[in-house]
Amino acid sequence: MRRFIVGFLATIGTLVLLAIVAGAAFFASGPFSPKPLPQQMVLSLDLRSLPPETTSTGLLSGGLFGSPRDIIETVQLLWQAADDPRVVGLYVEIGDEAGGLARVQELRQAIAHFRGKGKFAVGFAESLGSGGNHVADYYLAAALEQIWLQPSGGFGVTGIAVETPFLKGGLDKLGVKVEGGKRYEYKSAPDSFTETGYARPARENLQQLIDSLFGQFVADVARDRKMEAGQLRRLIDNAPLESEQARRDGLVDKIGYRADALEDVYQRANGKRELVTLAEYAGDEARPQTRGEVIALVRASGAIMSGGGRSSPLEDEAAANAEDVVEALENASQAKDVRAIVLRIDSPGGTYPAADAIADAVGRARAAGKPVIVSMGDVAASGGYLAAVRGDVIVAQPTTITASIGVFSIWPMAQELLTSLGINVERVSVGRNAGMHSTFQPPSPAQRAAVNRELDVIYAAFTAQVAEFRNLDSNRIDAAARGRVFSGVDAKRAGLVDELGGLQLALNIAKAKAGVDEGRKVEIRRYPNDGDRLQRVLDHLFKLAGVSTAPSLGMPREVREALAKFGVAARPGNVRLPPLPPLWR
């Protein structure tokens, strides 16, 4: 009976989704379709929450009711707007203090290109850096021509702070121990469970990372605000500051409320008192279109894992399914009109076999004659770096968090806790090492030795791949590995990254590698296509109904475009600083 009810509800849900598709197509093409945009306009961009690397596909969080545009689409729209003579300026709402710095740099580069076309860019912030431990909002604001700050908000940009909880003392009191190991001393992810504080190598590495990130921030902002780097550091060391003091010190340009900033924007736009949102601009067919040679875009976002996807269509996709990424690379490499592939990676790592499968697929795509250019997002570390290592060229933002070439394996062992509670767990097994990762009984010396052998084998294979495909000798690979984490700048010095820049640079390199003339435009084709999103939702619904394979419902381009106007085109994303989640299992 339960199976029947679930199947019935899933069928109803499928019909509802199909009705939504039809309704979206009707509204997009019928009397409620977007009106033509004015011949002179100012774009409005809300960056109080930075665009994610990829947006949610969970039904409740974005699948049915729309979701924000991802960073790639946002940047591409800004590049199109820069070439659109109808767009005269940009108004930006600022406020995301904790955004990933690599995504901030993507936006800064797009804004710089926009301003380079002679167009103005004005931003408003209620406050700047009020959290006191990150710099993302002001880093973004500094790329704008003019910064407005609310009088009551203040300037609280004080630097970058990282705090890591160490749980070992509390776990010891509970009678919980953590078994396992790591390779090697800089692989700090498991230290939260195995140490009572930062080990010296981990502290040094983390300090080096945030020094690099903060140094880039200071250099770029000082150049933007036309002041000396030392002066900017002194001002930040004296923060927090009142709004008026921040203006006098040259950190912002104007003090006022949102209405004041908008009034300034309207005057710059010759008195036109209307803003065009990025969503409205995205739905305008008259904007400059990118048609030409095809460059495939494949993305690996989230922890890299093997096997099936979500158990429910209501959940977000929190991982990069290696099978999906491999299939996307294979399809792109076999498409005759695809000239090159850009592999976009935003991942803190994952399982070794899953990351290795993606690395192998990159090598196979290159063998099929398709150049593969890797573009790194906020983080491409551990398994995220392994997935990138076979690319023709690796491009990272200067603030991308990358490398972490190492491995660990940990699991909790709660025998003492259970004993203190009067709980006895007995085991019946066959095989000498059966149950060696048990939560209830400690491993034997032979089993601990087996775990260490496994770690040694994986570390040797990982470093061998990096050494081979990055052409590093034993000394250089040892200096770049052992679990060290680098910024993009330091990774380039270590030989782990080829170029510093964003998606646009990766596309330009892909064009050059594919022999496409520099002046020709390219069309970015996503693999898998965003139109497959409804199919994935239907797959989950049919799975709930007990049907193993859902019927294929490929959507026409017109329907996909209609859905896109309602925000139904997305992927998952996340932000991490510092890179201290479990990077390997």
Side-chain angles (χ1 to χ4, degrees), residues 168-468:
K168 184 178 185 301
L171 294 176
D172 286 346
K173 290 181 179 179
L174 291 173
V176 177
K177 297 185 180 300
V178 175
E179 292 282 351
K182 65 178 184 177
R183 297 295 181 273
Y184 276 102
E185 66 271 24
Y186 297 97
K187 195 71 174 178
S188 60
D191 290 358
S192 289
F193 305 98
T194 61
E195 305 289 341
T196 58
Y198 289 121
R200 183 183 59 80
R203 178 182 287 277
E204 290 176 353
N205 188 209
L206 185 56
Q207 188 67 55
Q208 179 186 21
L209 173 65
I210 63 174
D211 284 346
S212 177
L213 299 181
F214 189 64
Q216 293 177 55
F217 161 79
V218 169
D220 292 344
V221 172
R223 183 180 62 252
D224 294 335
R225 302 301 300 174
K226 297 179 174 54
M227 65 175 65
E228 295 295 325
Q231 178 189 1
L232 178 59
R233 282 183 179 265
R234 287 190 294 272
L235 292 172
I236 289 174
D237 284 342
N238 288 327
L241 305 171
E242 294 181 355
S243 296
E244 186 58 40
Q245 183 63 52
R247 186 196 64 79
R248 288 196 296 268
D249 289 337
L251 296 169
V252 299
D253 300 291
K254 298 283 187 179
I255 304 301
Y257 293 89
R258 182 176 284 103
D260 300 316
L262 288 171
E263 190 63 38
D264 179 66
V265 168
Y266 298 148
Q267 291 179 10
R268 289 168 177 258
N270 299 319
K272 186 172 181 59
R273 307 181 67 82
E274 182 182 359
L275 301 178
V276 174
T277 68
L278 200 67
E280 291 172 330
Y281 185 70
D284 180 49
E285 295 181 356
R287 76 180 193 278
Q289 299 294 318
T290 52
R291 294 288 186 267
E293 303 288 352
V294 177
I295 303 293
L297 176 65
V298 177
R299 295 199 276 186
S301 183
I304 298 172
M305 300 295 175
S306 302
R310 300 170 293 162
S311 61
S312 167
L314 302 180
E315 299 173 6
D316 282 346
E317 292 175 355
N321 186 325
E323 294 175 17
D324 291 343
V325 178
V326 168
E327 182 180 11
L329 287 166
E330 290 176 349
N331 291 340
S333 66
Q334 294 168 6
K336 293 182 179 180
D337 57 344
V338 169
R339 300 294 301 274
I341 300 170
V342 171
L343 174 60
R344 177 77 173 189
I345 298 176
D346 181 65
S347 172
T351 64
Y352 184 83
D356 185 46
I358 295 176
D360 176 71
V362 170
R364 291 176 185 274
R366 292 181 61 190
K370 300 294 171 69
V372 180
I373 313 303
V374 175
S375 171
M376 292 180 169
D378 283 336
V379 57
S382 203
Y385 183 77
L386 175 60
V389 76
R390 299 194 195 187
D392 287 272
V393 180
I394 298 177
V395 181
Q397 288 287 9
T399 57
T400 294
I401 298 169
T402 189
S404 193
I405 300 168
V407 58
F408 72 80
S409 175
I410 60 173
W411 69 94
M413 208 284 294
Q415 184 188 38
E416 291 183 14
L417 172 62
L418 296 176
T419 299
S420 69
L421 296 174
I423 298 173
N424 179 46
V425 178
E426 295 189 354
R427 177 192 297 170
V428 176
S429 63
V430 58
R432 184 175 63 179
N433 290 328
M436 63 183 293
H437 296 101
S438 171
T439 302
F440 307 118
Q441 298 185 28
S444 67
Q447 290 169 345
R448 287 194 177 96
V451 170
N452 283 315
R453 284 197 303 272
E454 184 181 29
L455 293 175
D456 287 336
V457 167
I458 293 175
Y459 181 78
F462 192 172
T463 52
Q465 287 203 54
V466 177
E468 175 184 356

Side-chain angles (χ1 to χ4, degrees), residues 501-578:
L503 179 67
Q504 202 63 39
L505 176 60
L507 290 170
N508 289 339
I509 295 173
K511 287 170 61 176
K513 288 286 185 181
V516 177
D517 185 78
E518 183 180 356
R520 285 183 60 84
K521 291 186 176 182
V522 294
E523 174 186 349
I524 300 175
R525 181 181 300 167
R526 302 188 184 206
Y527 283 81
N529 193 295
D530 281 338
D532 295 338
R533 181 159 194 243
L534 177 62
Q535 182 65 53
R536 293 198 302 274
V537 173
L538 290 173
D539 287 342
H540 288 300
L541 289 174
F542 276 92
K543 182 178 178 181
L544 285 176
V547 181
S548 59
T549 304
S552 178
L553 296 175
M555 291 187 292
R557 177 177 58 83
E558 292 79 5
V559 176
R560 293 198 306 269
E561 291 177 354
L563 286 171
K565 293 176 182 179
F566 288 83
V568 184
R571 291 286 193 276
N574 39 44
V575 182
R576 301 157 214 90
L577 181 73

Side-chain angles (χ1 to χ4, degrees), residues 62-76:
L64 289 178
F65 304 107
S67 52
R69 282 177 166 77
D70 61 40
I71 186 66
I72 291 177
E73 186 177 5
T74 299
V75 167
Q76 289 295 300

